[in-house]
Amino acid sequence: METEMKSVDNLVDNEETYEHAVDILKSGGLVAFPTETVYGLGAIATDEQAVKKIFEAKGRPADNPLIVHIGNQSEVGKYAAEVPEVAERLMKAFWPGPLTLVMEMKPGVIANTVTAGMHTLAIRMPDHPVALALLQKLQLPVAAPSANRSGKPSPTEAEHVYHDLFGKIPLILDGGATGIGVESTVLDVTVTPPVILRPGGISKEQLEELIGTVQLAAKPEDQATTPRAPGMKYTHYAPEAPLFVIEPDAAKLESALKSIHQQGKRVAIIGPDELHTTNADWYFSTGAMHNHEAMAANLYKAIRQCDATEADMILAIETDLSGIGAAVMNRLDKASNGKRFS
Ligand code: AMP
Ligand code: MG
């Protein structure tokens, strides 16, 4: 299959491109498109066969459900059996935006493949002009996970999608780099208090300011039963070389570099501007120290840049857990499989 990449910036009339995308989706095909978090790989969520193609193209395990994207808040009632009052308040405050709500699903509407056979539905309204234009023209719900090969970092640029899914999907809408750079927060509102199944673009602090206490889901290995966000059990975002998390301390970094080099290994570092060191074989900066937004925006690209080097290992400099820092560290925890350099 040939993969077409079409730019959809504000400078040109994109009507034809959108029509093309809508045609592909309506005939059961896949389209990759930018959202404010990462690029998504979409199929019409009511079309069982189309949704299957997402799992095939990504190599995604069938028991890892997908998020349904809608173009208008008012559509929620078509797919959710029950919209709790707390969900109403959250949608009003954070939609369109990087907050996915897990609610009881109306039976018989959304394809079973989307929810991996569960009775709950994860749904959000993305805050990106291209995603919204596409959804609003389509007037149908779109199931869309991140548009990467399963296990790889999510794509934050159209080029990343092309790299991973070239030859497997017909169309990529190129809307430039995504803004937030980590995925949406997944919040289960079927329980009281609501539970964060995956930290993301909307922080725990932001949620609690609006609705009071929210809980963090236990790590999958600590859960007695099947994880509630089934995706949590899979390793995500894994780079080619082993990745270790390290403290933001210049002296510790230099001594780590020394010992790694003594073993004859080459190392790539992902870290803030302030800790840049010429002793690293490669240094990919994620912006100013303590700027969590910049780190979120640049993290996946930096991991991909590490993959393009010949590094034997990667050191990623950690940040604190406030705001979107929690989502960044959650992804680094997965990318490192819990490994720390010490
Ligand atoms: P991705 O699309 O790769 O960003 O991952 C979507 C995330 O949402 C995964 O962690 C899924 O496990 C989670 N998710 C999707 N649908 C549901 C659902 N019905 N209940 C709980 N978690 C869900
Ligand atoms: Mg993903």
Side-chain angles (χ1 to χ4, degrees):
M1 180 185 302
E2 226 174 280
T3 301
E4 208 183 345
M5 189 143 82
K6 280 266 184 189
S7 168
V8 275
D9 56 37
N10 295 326
L11 305 172
V12 289
D13 177 7
N14 301 303
E15 249 350 277
E16 259 181 49
T17 306
Y18 282 119
E19 269 171 35
H20 185 40
V22 166
D23 285 346
I24 291 175
L25 288 165
K26 282 195 170 163
S27 57
L30 306 181
V31 174
F33 59 94
T35 79
E36 81 281 33
T37 58
V38 301
Y39 273 74
L41 179 62
I44 295 193
T46 51
D47 182 339
E48 192 90 43
Q49 292 310 316
V51 172
K52 269 193 188 148
K53 290 182 189 166
I54 293 180
F55 289 88
E56 284 161 17
K58 285 191 55 126
R60 183 177 174 106
D63 62 349
N64 191 0
L66 309 177
I67 294 169
V68 169
H69 295 69
I70 54 175
N72 288 292
Q73 194 183 313
S74 58
E75 290 170 46
V76 162
K78 288 196 205 170
Y79 314 114
E82 210 187 328
V83 181
E85 194 262 339
V86 71
E88 297 280 4
R89 282 162 61 200
L90 289 162
M91 290 189 290
K92 196 161 171 236
F94 297 116
W95 278 14
L99 177 66
T100 296
L101 298 172
V102 173
M103 294 185 261
E104 293 296 330
M105 181 170 59
K106 214 170 235 183
V109 189
I110 299 293
N112 279 324
T113 34
V114 170
T115 59
M118 297 191 301
H119 56 87
T120 54
L121 178 69
I123 191 163
R124 84 174 188 107
M125 179 179 172
D127 187 15
H128 190 287
V130 176
L132 285 174
L134 182 64
L135 289 164
Q136 286 164 8
K137 283 174 203 298
L138 196 61
Q139 292 284 309
L140 288 166
V142 169
S146 49
N148 51 284
R149 284 286 292 171
S150 197
K152 292 285 131 200
S154 297
T156 53
E157 294 176 12
E159 294 291 342
H160 302 162
V161 182
Y162 193 81
H163 176 272
D164 278 18
L165 299 178
F166 163 77
K168 293 188 162 68
I169 61 172
L171 180 64
I172 302 167
L173 299 180
D174 181 355
T178 58
I180 293 173
V182 291
E183 299 83 347
S184 61
T185 301
V186 179
L187 186 72
D188 184 353
V189 290
T190 65
V191 289
T192 311
V195 174
I196 295 177
L197 299 178
R198 174 179 74 183
I202 299 287
S203 68
K204 185 168 188 271
E205 295 91 319
Q206 282 174 292
L207 295 173
E208 290 192 324
E209 199 178 315
L210 186 77
I211 60 166
T213 305
V214 299
Q215 281 179 350
L216 273 177
K219 285 188 174 180
E221 57 269 30
D222 300 336
Q223 287 184 19
T225 50
T226 326
R228 266 190 296 191
M232 294 197 305
K233 70 175 184 255
Y234 296 104
T235 312
H236 271 78
Y237 328 111
E240 309 282 338
L243 183 148
F244 296 80
V245 171
I246 188 166
E247 276 173 58
D249 179 304
K252 285 198 174 141
L253 196 58
E254 291 303 337
S255 100
L257 288 174
K258 210 167 163 188
S259 87
I260 293 165
H261 284 148
Q262 273 166 1
Q263 296 167 38
K265 289 184 177 167
R266 295 203 285 173
V267 55
I269 297 183
I270 297 172
D273 297 341
E274 291 84 345
L275 292 175
H276 184 278
T277 165
T278 49
N279 291 325
D281 300 285
W282 296 272
Y283 195 101
F284 299 107
S285 179
T286 49
M289 201 175 322
H290 306 303
N291 183 344
H292 295 142
E293 280 73 23
M295 193 166 176
N298 295 314
L299 178 66
Y300 289 148
K301 180 176 185 166
I303 293 178
R304 283 178 181 265
Q305 285 172 318
C306 290
D307 276 349
T309 70
E310 269 116 53
D312 300 297
M313 60 187 287
I314 302 165
L315 294 179
I317 299 171
E318 72 184 337
T319 187
D320 68 90
L321 296 174
S322 64
I324 202 172
V328 167
M329 288 313 297
N330 167 272
R331 305 310 187 265
L332 277 182
D333 196 40
K334 291 190 174 193
S336 64
N337 216 344
K339 295 189 297 297
R340 295 186 65 88
F341 194 92
S342 53

PDB file of all heavy atoms in Angstrom, residues 7-19:
ATOM      1  N   SER A   7      -0.070  17.717   3.770  1.00  0.00           N
ATOM      2  CA  SER A   7       0.013  18.825   4.708  1.00  0.00           C
ATOM      3  C   SER A   7      -1.344  19.526   4.826  1.00  0.00           C
ATOM      4  O   SER A   7      -2.018  19.760   3.829  1.00  0.00           O
ATOM      5  CB  SER A   7       1.098  19.793   4.227  1.00  0.00           C
ATOM      6  OG  SER A   7       0.994  20.982   4.952  1.00  0.00           O
ATOM      7  N   VAL A   8      -1.733  19.832   6.047  1.00  0.00           N
ATOM      8  CA  VAL A   8      -2.997  20.546   6.255  1.00  0.00           C
ATOM      9  C   VAL A   8      -2.750  21.779   7.125  1.00  0.00           C
ATOM     10  O   VAL A   8      -3.277  21.896   8.214  1.00  0.00           O
ATOM     11  CB  VAL A   8      -4.096  19.670   6.905  1.00  0.00           C
ATOM     12  CG1 VAL A   8      -4.845  18.877   5.879  1.00  0.00           C
ATOM     13  CG2 VAL A   8      -3.506  18.744   7.967  1.00  0.00           C
ATOM     14  N   ASP A   9      -1.878  22.685   6.662  1.00  0.00           N
ATOM     15  CA  ASP A   9      -1.650  23.905   7.438  1.00  0.00           C
ATOM     16  C   ASP A   9      -2.713  24.947   7.072  1.00  0.00           C
ATOM     17  O   ASP A   9      -3.564  24.715   6.223  1.00  0.00           O
ATOM     18  CB  ASP A   9      -0.220  24.431   7.254  1.00  0.00           C
ATOM     19  CG  ASP A   9       0.111  24.668   5.800  1.00  0.00           C
ATOM     20  OD1 ASP A   9      -0.788  25.119   5.068  1.00  0.00           O
ATOM     21  OD2 ASP A   9       1.256  24.394   5.391  1.00  0.00           O
ATOM     22  N   ASN A  10      -2.645  26.074   7.750  1.00  0.00           N
ATOM     23  CA  ASN A  10      -3.695  27.078   7.586  1.00  0.00           C
ATOM     24  C   ASN A  10      -3.577  27.886   6.301  1.00  0.00           C
ATOM     25  O   ASN A  10      -4.454  28.662   5.962  1.00  0.00           O
ATOM     26  CB  ASN A  10      -3.668  28.045   8.770  1.00  0.00           C
ATOM     27  CG  ASN A  10      -4.016  27.332  10.049  1.00  0.00           C
ATOM     28  OD1 ASN A  10      -4.841  26.410  10.038  1.00  0.00           O
ATOM     29  ND2 ASN A  10      -3.372  27.719  11.136  1.00  0.00           N
ATOM     30  N   LEU A  11      -2.461  27.700   5.584  1.00  0.00           N
ATOM     31  CA  LEU A  11      -2.183  28.588   4.452  1.00  0.00           C
ATOM     32  C   LEU A  11      -2.889  28.176   3.166  1.00  0.00           C
ATOM     33  O   LEU A  11      -3.028  28.966   2.248  1.00  0.00           O
ATOM     34  CB  LEU A  11      -0.665  28.644   4.207  1.00  0.00           C
ATOM     35  CG  LEU A  11       0.170  29.043   5.431  1.00  0.00           C
ATOM     36  CD1 LEU A  11       1.650  28.884   5.148  1.00  0.00           C
ATOM     37  CD2 LEU A  11      -0.152  30.487   5.813  1.00  0.00           C
ATOM     38  N   VAL A  12      -3.320  26.950   3.113  1.00  0.00           N
ATOM     39  CA  VAL A  12      -3.950  26.491   1.869  1.00  0.00           C
ATOM     40  C   VAL A  12      -5.363  25.996   2.141  1.00  0.00           C
ATOM     41  O   VAL A  12      -5.743  25.741   3.275  1.00  0.00           O
ATOM     42  CB  VAL A  12      -3.126  25.345   1.226  1.00  0.00           C
ATOM     43  CG1 VAL A  12      -1.827  25.864   0.660  1.00  0.00           C
ATOM     44  CG2 VAL A  12      -2.873  24.222   2.212  1.00  0.00           C
ATOM     45  N   ASP A  13      -6.135  25.859   1.077  1.00  0.00           N
ATOM     46  CA  ASP A  13      -7.477  25.326   1.194  1.00  0.00           C
ATOM     47  C   ASP A  13      -7.368  23.801   1.288  1.00  0.00           C
ATOM     48  O   ASP A  13      -6.879  23.146   0.379  1.00  0.00           O
ATOM     49  CB  ASP A  13      -8.279  25.737  -0.051  1.00  0.00           C
ATOM     50  CG  ASP A  13      -9.684  25.148  -0.023  1.00  0.00           C
ATOM     51  OD1 ASP A  13     -10.051  24.549   1.005  1.00  0.00           O
ATOM     52  OD2 ASP A  13     -10.394  25.284  -1.032  1.00  0.00           O
ATOM     53  N   ASN A  14      -7.800  23.246   2.405  1.00  0.00           N
ATOM     54  CA  ASN A  14      -7.599  21.814   2.649  1.00  0.00           C
ATOM     55  C   ASN A  14      -8.854  20.982   2.379  1.00  0.00           C
ATOM     56  O   ASN A  14      -8.891  19.804   2.713  1.00  0.00           O
ATOM     57  CB  ASN A  14      -7.169  21.597   4.100  1.00  0.00           C
ATOM     58  CG  ASN A  14      -5.892  22.340   4.419  1.00  0.00           C
ATOM     59  OD1 ASN A  14      -4.888  22.128   3.769  1.00  0.00           O
ATOM     60  ND2 ASN A  14      -5.947  23.229   5.396  1.00  0.00           N
ATOM     61  N   GLU A  15      -9.863  21.606   1.789  1.00  0.00           N
ATOM     62  CA  GLU A  15     -11.147  20.909   1.605  1.00  0.00           C
ATOM     63  C   GLU A  15     -10.988  19.547   0.950  1.00  0.00           C
ATOM     64  O   GLU A  15     -11.516  18.548   1.421  1.00  0.00           O
ATOM     65  CB  GLU A  15     -12.088  21.774   0.750  1.00  0.00           C
ATOM     66  CG  GLU A  15     -13.301  22.350   1.457  1.00  0.00           C
ATOM     67  CD  GLU A  15     -13.613  21.843   2.844  1.00  0.00           C
ATOM     68  OE1 GLU A  15     -14.246  20.773   2.931  1.00  0.00           O
ATOM     69  OE2 GLU A  15     -13.244  22.481   3.849  1.00  0.00           O
ATOM     70  N   GLU A  16     -10.223  19.519  -0.141  1.00  0.00           N
ATOM     71  CA  GLU A  16     -10.055  18.261  -0.882  1.00  0.00           C
ATOM     72  C   GLU A  16      -9.390  17.191  -0.043  1.00  0.00           C
ATOM     73  O   GLU A  16      -9.751  16.017  -0.110  1.00  0.00           O
ATOM     74  CB  GLU A  16      -9.206  18.499  -2.134  1.00  0.00           C
ATOM     75  CG  GLU A  16     -10.023  18.610  -3.388  1.00  0.00           C
ATOM     76  CD  GLU A  16      -9.145  18.811  -4.612  1.00  0.00           C
ATOM     77  OE1 GLU A  16      -8.161  18.054  -4.777  1.00  0.00           O
ATOM     78  OE2 GLU A  16      -9.441  19.743  -5.378  1.00  0.00           O
ATOM     79  N   THR A  17      -8.398  17.624   0.736  1.00  0.00           N
ATOM     80  CA  THR A  17      -7.678  16.670   1.583  1.00  0.00           C
ATOM     81  C   THR A  17      -8.613  16.074   2.630  1.00  0.00           C
ATOM     82  O   THR A  17      -8.614  14.865   2.862  1.00  0.00           O
ATOM     83  CB  THR A  17      -6.493  17.370   2.283  1.00  0.00           C
ATOM     84  OG1 THR A  17      -5.712  17.998   1.279  1.00  0.00           O
ATOM     85  CG2 THR A  17      -5.640  16.380   3.043  1.00  0.00           C
ATOM     86  N   TYR A  18      -9.423  16.941   3.243  1.00  0.00           N
ATOM     87  CA  TYR A  18     -10.372  16.424   4.233  1.00  0.00           C
ATOM     88  C   TYR A  18     -11.386  15.471   3.589  1.00  0.00           C
ATOM     89  O   TYR A  18     -11.725  14.430   4.155  1.00  0.00           O
ATOM     90  CB  TYR A  18     -11.104  17.563   4.944  1.00  0.00           C
ATOM     91  CG  TYR A  18     -10.261  18.238   6.008  1.00  0.00           C
ATOM     92  CD1 TYR A  18      -9.935  19.585   5.917  1.00  0.00           C
ATOM     93  CD2 TYR A  18      -9.789  17.526   7.111  1.00  0.00           C
ATOM     94  CE1 TYR A  18      -9.162  20.209   6.880  1.00  0.00           C
ATOM     95  CE2 TYR A  18      -9.014  18.131   8.085  1.00  0.00           C
ATOM     96  CZ  TYR A  18      -8.698  19.470   7.963  1.00  0.00           C
ATOM     97  OH  TYR A  18      -7.930  20.074   8.935  1.00  0.00           O
ATOM     98  N   GLU A  19     -11.852  15.839   2.399  1.00  0.00           N
ATOM     99  CA  GLU A  19     -12.809  14.966   1.705  1.00  0.00           C
ATOM    100  C   GLU A  19     -12.199  13.595   1.446  1.00  0.00           C
ATOM    101  O   GLU A  19     -12.842  12.561   1.617  1.00  0.00           O
ATOM    102  CB  GLU A  19     -13.245  15.593   0.372  1.00  0.00           C
ATOM    103  CG  GLU A  19     -14.484  16.443   0.505  1.00  0.00           C
ATOM    104  CD  GLU A  19     -14.790  17.235  -0.763  1.00  0.00           C
ATOM    105  OE1 GLU A  19     -14.530  16.704  -1.873  1.00  0.00           O
ATOM    106  OE2 GLU A  19     -15.246  18.379  -0.633  1.00  0.00           O
TER     107      GLU A  19
END
